[in-house]
């Protein structure tokens, strides 16, 4: 069936460096994508979204890139901080929200 | 952003009992809410779509008689796990949004259910 997956299960970065979290999706009909951050024992927190008619969208310290040709989505976090440590999920929205497998981001000093 | 409140945050119950989890949209009305389940170190899996004033829509493989959903008002949906068993132990999360369904969902804080 359709699925949304991530390339890296764990990403370790040094504080201050930039982080890039990747996601592959398989449903070419998906037209809306979201990145969520989930801290341990909490519900997902909305980070940023992007529609399929866009290639890039920027927020505060975060940028989402969408490559529809290869069905790839990425989340870039600038100047990664300890508070960014969490599990990050990409999700695609059609008639329901489908989550990817998640990537754990670990930030070390 | 919109606020979704979920209660309780955690619950421990004996096998065979039923547990009710509440999901409230605090500052908006939601005709549709969604219930997810998440096992440790896994992703969120959609269980069902809760529709205000009508029956919930369940995902394939989710037992509707075991996971009862009631969406009696535009701000409240409840999930009742009936005759809970240890394998039902999981993190249950609800979500909703004030706009178009499935876009920019806001999530509750989750309920950790442990069945002994």
């Amino acid at each position: 069936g359709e699925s949304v997956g991530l390339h890296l299960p764990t990403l370790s970065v040094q504080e201050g460096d930039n982080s890039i979290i990747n996601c592959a999706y398989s449903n070419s009909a998906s037209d809306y994508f979201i990145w969520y951050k989930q801290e341990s024992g909490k519900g997902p927190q909305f980070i940023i979204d992007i529609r399929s008619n866009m290639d890039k969208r920027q927020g505060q310290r975060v940028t989402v890139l969408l490559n529809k040709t290869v069905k790839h989505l990425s989340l870039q976090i600038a100047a990664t901080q300890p508070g960014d440590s969490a599990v990050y999920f990409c999700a695609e929205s059609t008639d329901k929200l489908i989550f990817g497998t998640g990537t754990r981001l670990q930030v070390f000093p | 952003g919109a606020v979704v409140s979920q209660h309780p945050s955690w619950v421990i119950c004996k096998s065979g009992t039923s547990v009710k989890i509440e999901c409230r949209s605090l500052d908006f009305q939601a005709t549709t809410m969604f219930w997810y389940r998440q096992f440790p170190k896994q992703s969120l899996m959609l269980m069902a779509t809760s529709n205000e004033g009508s029956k919930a829509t369940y995902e394939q493989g989710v037992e509707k008689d075991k996971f009862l959903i009631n969406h009696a008002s535009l701000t409240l949906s409840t999930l009742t796990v009936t005759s809970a068993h240890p394998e039902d132990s999981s993190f249950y999360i609800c979500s909703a949004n004030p706009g178009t369904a499935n876009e920019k969902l806001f999530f509750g804080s989750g309920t950790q259910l442990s069945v002994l």
Side-chain angles (χ1 to χ4, degrees):
Chain A
E2 301 290 353
S3 64
V4 179
L6 297 176
H7 295 305
L8 299 174
T10 303
L11 177 65
S12 297
V13 299
Q14 190 168 23
E15 181 178 357
D17 287 351
N18 297 332
S19 302
I20 299 177
I21 301 173
N22 296 303
C23 176
Y25 66 94
S26 57
N27 187 352
S28 57
S30 295
D31 60 359
Y32 181 63
F33 304 88
I34 313 170
W35 279 101
Y36 285 95
K37 172 186 179 183
Q38 186 180 29
E39 298 176 324
S40 181
K42 297 183 179 180
Q45 177 186 357
F46 173 87
I47 300 175
I48 192 168
D49 58 356
I50 188 169
R51 295 193 178 278
S52 60
N53 61 353
M54 301 174 68
D55 297 323
K56 178 180 180 179
R57 191 167 187 218
Q58 288 184 296
Q60 187 176 14
R61 280 202 309 120
V62 295
T63 300
V64 55
L65 298 178
L66 176 62
N67 186 329
K68 296 179 289 294
T69 301
V70 296
K71 299 177 189 173
H72 184 267
L73 194 69
S74 69
L75 176 69
Q76 300 180 0
I77 304 174
T80 311
Q81 303 170 359
D84 295 327
S85 295
V87 177
Y88 289 81
F89 293 96
C90 64
E92 65 177 314
S93 180
T94 54
D95 60 340
K96 61 189 72 172
L97 197 61
I98 301 172
F99 280 79
T101 54
T103 292
R104 178 172 297 281
L105 177 64
Q106 297 177 327
V107 183
F108 58 92
Chain B
V3 179
V4 176
S5 175
Q6 192 171 337
H7 178 81
S9 298
W10 58 270
V11 57
I12 302 173
C13 69
K14 294 181 179 180
S15 183
T17 61
S18 296
V19 175
K20 179 184 286 187
I21 303 170
E22 293 186 348
C23 181
R24 295 181 183 273
S25 55
L26 297 186
D27 51 0
F28 65 96
Q29 294 182 332
T31 57
T32 305
M33 292 184 177
F34 304 90
W35 287 96
Y36 290 81
R37 179 168 54 183
Q38 185 179 32
F39 292 106
K41 299 184 179 180
Q42 294 188 21
S43 187
L44 284 75
M45 297 299 296
L46 180 63
M47 299 176 65
T49 301
S50 173
N51 304 299
E52 189 269 335
S54 63
K55 293 182 179 180
T57 304
Y58 290 83
E59 295 300 300
Q60 188 175 7
V62 179
E63 300 176 57
K64 62 179 181 180
D65 294 330
K66 180 170 185 62
F67 299 100
L68 300 179
I69 292 174
N70 183 282
H71 196 151
S73 77
L74 288 171
T75 59
L76 174 63
S77 175
T78 60
L79 169 68
T80 301
V81 183
T82 62
S83 186
H85 291 285
E87 57 266 29
D88 298 324
S89 298
S90 185
F91 193 55
Y92 292 86
I93 315 171
C94 70
S95 68
N97 71 24
T100 305
N102 301 318
E103 293 194 356
K104 202 177 289 186
L105 287 179
F106 293 93
F107 286 80
S109 55
T111 298
Q112 181 63 51
L113 171 63
S114 297
V115 184
L116 304 178

